Amino acid sequence: MKQLFLIVVCTLGLGHCVMGQSPVFAHPGLLHSAADLQRMKAAVAARRSPIYEGYKVFENSPFSKWAYQPKGPLAMVGRNPTVGQTDYDSDANAAYQNAVMWAMTGDQRYAQTAIRIVDAWSNTLQSITGKDAILMAGLGPFKMVNAAEILRYTNAGWSTAAVTRTEQHFLKVIYPVLAEFAPFANGNWDDAALKTVMAIGIFCNDREIFEKAVRYYVDGWGNGSLTHYIINDYGQVQETGRDQAHTQLGIGMLAECCEMAWHQGLDLYGYADNRLLKGFEYTAKYNLGDNDIAYTPMLDRTGKYAHSKPSELARGNLRAVYEQVYNHYVHRRGLAAPFTQAAADKLRPEGPGLPGADHPGYGTLFFSIDPVQVGNSGDVNATAIPAGLVLAAVPSASRLTWVGLHGVASYVIKRATQRKGPYVTIGTSENTTFYDSTAKKGTIYYYTVSGVQTAPSLPVAMAAGGLPLQWQNTGGTAQYDGSTFKVEAGGTFTDTAAAGFNYTYRPLAKRDELVMQVLPQPSSQFTTVGIMIRADTSFAAFMLYPGKTKEIEAPGWKLQLFQRLPVPVTGQQLLQAPAVTYGRLTGTYWIKVTRAGTTIRGFGSYDGITWNQIASLQWPAGKPSQIGVAAASNIDNTTTVRFRLP
């Protein structure tokens, strides 16, 4: 449900404004708004410190020269093995920095250089390959999208046809690599995907993609979502025990998401009681040499990375990520950030975001705000709508939370029983949480949130109580949104069916069939998930199982029968591409279990159409039984599994 708004887009190159329609986004609206670019331009012209000093560092970069000679384009780039990574990242840096130079100087030569680079790659690049393809697609392309956003909305002379080709390039070549994020890895992978998905959503005016990114930021199941990456109120980061380079990379990319969201009217910076600031303060304090930090030994969401103390690796090597966060929390919001401020002071003027295209860098130029001029810093967005809606079943209610709009103090909550409505107002809230205690258990409801004078958010849905009627859950949590089940499971699963795994089930009929589509990717690389039939202590389960290999990063995934029955039955199928690549469940996989009288059969499929029988067995007639989805993390943490029952 897309709303169209009439907005004003200021074209800095010619110094006038044009009118146009936009589907709820402000443009330019990635790292830099129109007001931001104008603020930088005015400060440089007036040689105002510290922005002018930041500009001189930026101007002297070889990537900021209109005479830059492109390294590409290439039809394929990749990472691990490396194919053209340095060439792409260099060109992405140059496209972005030339676009910024154009916006600040009005010199058409910068615009022409940036356009030439963006057009060349969008016309040529066809595939992104390698075990680390997500990092390849999430880092350099973020700068390419930012370059395109500036060029498109500053009257740079970029043709409509070229803009359309670039949109399709981002949607068809870059986005598919990032669409499921990276829950199998350390959190900085997730965050590289997250920021570029968000940027593509804004540039392509695709509210669904943008919303997907915001919801993953606040409620994602991988290491990179906000509260999984900054794991507690002390500010400890998931990668603090790994090394300080990746820790700063990850929190820096979360901050970039916040700045884009801010330009769309959303206070993502303030989410979870300013959790991002806590992560920056903790990290800056440690990297400035202070050992007085609390640390909780932790196992990450994948089950692969356990750390018992903060890492000394790369400690003290401050990355160019602090000016942005310091200026937001201190100058925009008036909060204290002493360690972030000290790190920013030490780096000022910030230089490039090394290595490669990891960060935008140059924060002194890009983000320095005079507290007296905060009102002119691009904070106002009349097209903003709430985002990041999350539903959870709590005792006697459905709890709805969302990312609020900065400057909005009251929200209206509406509900419907169909996605398209009609929506009826069920309450208001003075904060970003609402409890609905009037929903009928088992009924699927759709919710929207709006500011008092804003359009409604995209809807979010859940069955009241969490699950449809006849379905139950033990050993964890489970909820259904009308399309997808999402379960949070701990425990273990072996052929003894040890207690503790998650089971979401309904009664088993004499003639029955259950088909599940396992969606990519579970957060634990040790997850077991599949269809189980159970009665008392007897069970038969057709489960996706990560068999052990010599490489912890690449388990041998298989569909395997587990059972506790009088007569042993065996059967398994090794999974291959497209369901599994590099040992990761990167594609969907289907499991089907049927019952006809006393015969149980289990099947696997790569497409839900062509089925391969794994095994069959006999099940006692007349015995009350259940059928459902079993899941276990098999680690000392929980796992998130998503699936559909077509």
Side-chain angles (χ1 to χ4, degrees):
M1 184 171 61
K2 293 185 177 179
Q3 303 286 334
L4 296 180
F5 291 85
L6 196 64
I7 67 170
V8 177
V9 179
C10 292
T11 56
L12 300 175
L14 294 182
H16 68 277
C17 295
V18 296
M19 303 296 287
Q21 285 188 324
S22 171
V24 242
F25 291 108
H27 295 292
L30 299 187
L31 287 179
H32 313 293
S33 67
D36 288 333
L37 295 171
Q38 187 60 49
R39 170 178 49 79
M40 286 187 275
K41 183 177 181 179
V44 170
R47 300 196 172 194
R48 187 182 307 130
S49 183
I51 294 178
Y52 183 71
E53 290 80 4
Y55 171 74
K56 296 305 292 182
V57 175
F58 180 75
E59 181 188 40
N60 288 331
S61 166
F63 299 120
S64 298
K65 306 299 184 183
W66 60 262
Y68 171 87
Q69 294 300 309
K71 310 298 182 183
L74 300 170
M76 180 181 75
V77 296
R79 180 164 170 160
N80 192 15
T82 298
V83 180
Q85 177 186 345
T86 301
D87 293 341
Y88 186 95
D89 287 353
S90 293
D91 284 0
N93 284 335
Y96 172 50
Q97 292 180 211
N98 270 268
V100 173
M101 287 295 292
W102 145 250
M104 288 193 297
T105 67
D107 187 333
Q108 191 71 38
R109 292 175 297 181
Y110 293 111
Q112 290 169 350
T113 296
I115 290 170
R116 185 165 63 251
I117 295 170
V118 173
D119 281 351
W121 282 98
S122 64
N123 287 335
T124 306
L125 183 61
Q126 299 297 319
S127 62
I128 300 175
T129 62
K131 188 175 181 180
D132 298 356
I134 289 176
L135 287 178
M136 181 73 232
L139 295 173
F142 179 68
K143 290 192 172 182
M144 203 72 84
V145 182
N146 270 272
E149 176 79 359
I150 294 170
L151 295 170
R152 185 177 188 177
Y153 295 103
T154 56
N155 199 31
W158 197 20
S159 73
T160 301
V163 170
T164 300
R165 282 196 304 271
T166 300
E167 277 191 336
Q168 292 304 302
H169 167 73
F170 291 149
L171 290 170
K172 294 181 178 180
V173 178
I174 308 298
Y175 175 69
V177 182
L178 306 172
E180 301 302 331
F181 307 101
F184 55 83
N186 280 296
N188 76 85
W189 287 57
D190 251 351
D191 297 335
L194 186 58
K195 70 176 184 178
T196 303
V197 168
M198 186 179 290
I200 289 172
I202 295 169
F203 177 77
C204 295
N205 289 306
D206 192 312
R207 173 58 61 173
E208 296 282 354
I209 290 178
F210 176 77
E211 180 70 20
K212 181 177 183 179
V214 177
R215 288 186 185 172
Y216 196 88
Y217 184 103
V218 301
D219 193 43
W221 44 96
N223 280 322
S225 63
L226 178 64
T227 55
H228 288 161
Y229 199 61
I230 303 172
I231 67 168
N232 55 36
D233 280 333
Y234 295 126
Q236 180 180 327
V237 178
Q238 180 257 318
E239 296 189 85
T240 297
R242 180 190 182 191
D243 64 61
Q244 300 310 306
H246 287 98
T247 298
Q248 293 175 89
L249 172 65
I251 60 174
M253 291 190 290
L254 287 176
E256 291 157 37
C257 292
C258 290
E259 188 69 9
M260 290 187 287
W262 184 264
H263 292 142
Q264 302 308 321
L266 295 168
D267 188 13
L268 203 57
Y269 279 110
Y271 197 81
D273 193 24
N274 297 309
R275 180 70 70 90
L276 180 70
L277 175 60
K278 294 171 183 177
F280 265 86
E281 284 290 279
Y282 181 97
T283 302
K285 181 179 183 182
Y286 184 62
N287 279 278
L288 289 168
D290 193 331
N291 290 313
D292 186 23
I293 58 170
Y295 188 86
T296 302
M298 64 163 296
L299 177 68
D300 79 313
R301 295 281 294 170
T302 73
K304 296 183 296 188
Y305 312 120
H307 304 298
S308 60
K309 61 181 181 179
S311 173
E312 294 280 343
L313 290 175
R315 186 181 181 189
N317 297 332
L318 296 175
R319 287 197 169 201
V321 298
Y322 292 96
E323 283 276 29
Q324 174 195 335
V325 173
Y326 158 65
N327 275 278
H328 174 79
Y329 286 107
V330 175
H331 289 163
R332 279 182 182 153
R333 307 305 281 172
L335 302 176
F339 297 105
T340 303
Q341 180 173 349
D345 289 346
K346 189 172 183 179
L347 288 172
R348 191 174 296 121
E350 267 188 6
L354 300 173
D358 280 8
H359 303 290
Y362 302 108
T364 306
L365 168 64
F366 292 163
F367 304 113
S368 291
I369 300 171
D370 184 340
V372 177
Q373 297 182 321
V374 168
N376 297 318
S377 63
D379 295 352
V380 178
N381 175 14
T383 69
I385 64 174
L389 276 64
V390 177
L391 276 165
V394 297
S396 303
S398 296
R399 185 185 65 211
L400 176 65
T401 59
W402 60 92
V403 179
L405 305 174
H406 49 82
V408 174
S410 181
Y411 299 91
V412 177
I413 296 86
K414 295 185 178 182
R415 189 181 75 188
T417 54
Q418 298 183 55
R419 181 180 175 87
K420 294 184 178 180
Y423 286 85
V424 177
T425 299
I426 59 170
T428 61
S429 177
E430 302 302 315
N431 53 47
T432 55
T433 302
F434 181 81
Y435 291 87
D436 179 11
S437 59
T438 65
K440 184 178 179 181
K441 187 175 181 179
T443 300
I444 297 169
Y445 293 97
Y446 297 82
Y447 297 82
T448 65
V449 177
S450 60
V452 174
Q453 295 181 324
T454 76
S457 65
L458 291 187
V460 64
M462 185 184 71
L467 293 171
L469 294 176
Q470 291 195 319
W471 284 86
Q472 300 182 59
N473 174 265
T474 61
T477 63
Q479 66 182 59
Y480 178 61
D481 67 4
S483 170
T484 301
F485 286 81
K486 179 180 177 182
V487 303
E488 192 71 16
T492 58
F493 194 98
T494 67
D495 56 8
T496 61
F501 64 90
N502 185 302
Y503 191 41
T504 305
Y505 62 94
R506 61 167 173 77
L508 175 69
K510 292 181 179 179
R511 294 190 66 86
D512 212 335
E513 176 180 286
L514 185 64
V515 178
M516 74 175 297
Q517 178 188 10
V518 182
L519 299 176
Q521 305 171 18
S523 53
S524 166
Q525 299 303 289
F526 302 96
T527 297
T528 305
V529 60
I531 298 177
M532 169 189 277
I533 292 176
R534 186 174 72 175
D536 300 326
T537 59
S538 298
F539 72 89
F542 295 86
M543 308 291 288
L544 289 182
Y545 180 78
K548 290 184 179 180
T549 67
K550 294 181 180 179
E551 175 55 63
I552 193 173
E553 297 280 352
W557 287 94
K558 61 186 75 174
L559 177 59
Q560 181 172 328
L561 171 64
F562 294 81
Q563 71 281 322
R564 183 191 288 162
L565 294 168
V567 180
V569 180
T570 60
Q572 68 176 25
Q573 173 181 312
L574 294 175
L575 270 63
Q576 300 174 344
V580 173
T581 55
Y582 300 109
R584 305 162 185 158
L585 284 173
T586 50
T588 58
Y589 190 77
W590 282 258
I591 304 171
K592 178 170 68 175
V593 173
T594 64
R595 179 189 185 183
T598 60
T599 301
I600 302 294
R601 291 185 173 88
F603 306 82
S605 173
Y606 290 98
D607 58 8
I609 300 172
T610 302
W611 295 93
N612 178 43
Q613 182 170 312
I614 303 302
S616 65
L617 53 93
Q618 296 300 300
W619 189 258
K623 193 172 187 179
S625 305
Q626 300 91 37
I627 186 170
V629 174
S633 66
N634 299 309
I635 59 174
D636 292 331
N637 205 337
T638 60
T639 187
T640 303
V641 178
R642 300 173 305 131
F643 58 89
R644 295 193 181 107
L645 303 180

